[in-house]
Amino acid sequence: MLKLLKLNSEIEKVLEFKIEINHTINNCLYNDLWVTQIPEKYFDNQVENIIQLIDESIDYNDDKNIFSL
């Protein structure tokens, strides 16, 4: 259960965001980072972290944990 809580927390961090626009300098703040200064791999690292947490949290050998739509 603790693994799932950690996974949920990481997903919430990605989905919760704050955006502020500064028209004077024609730039935006995304979660307190200027969008022009966000590293190229910023979102890649978040996605990799969530994928790793999913892999750690789910037992792929248990059919109850895997389903397809």
Side-chain angles (χ1 to χ4, degrees):
M1 185 66 150
L2 186 58
K3 289 181 181 181
L4 293 178
L5 291 174
K6 183 177 179 183
L7 173 61
N8 188 59
S9 173
E10 289 299 314
I11 291 172
E12 284 179 353
K13 285 181 196 176
V14 173
L15 295 179
E16 292 179 18
F17 56 91
K18 178 176 70 173
I19 296 176
E20 298 177 37
I21 300 172
N22 185 324
H23 294 285
T24 305
I25 62 172
N26 199 27
N27 204 347
C28 299
L29 281 172
Y30 171 81
N31 291 348
D32 300 320
L33 291 171
W34 290 108
V35 294
T36 54
Q37 296 176 333
I38 294 176
E40 186 176 324
K41 298 283 185 180
Y42 179 78
F43 295 104
D44 293 344
N45 293 336
Q46 290 179 329
V47 168
E48 288 174 20
N49 186 30
I50 290 174
I51 289 172
Q52 180 181 356
L53 287 169
I54 290 171
D55 284 342
E56 293 171 1
S57 302
I58 294 178
D59 179 6
Y60 291 103
N61 295 322
D62 186 349
D63 290 340
K64 290 183 247 174
N65 291 323
I66 301 176
F67 64 92
S68 61
L69 300 175

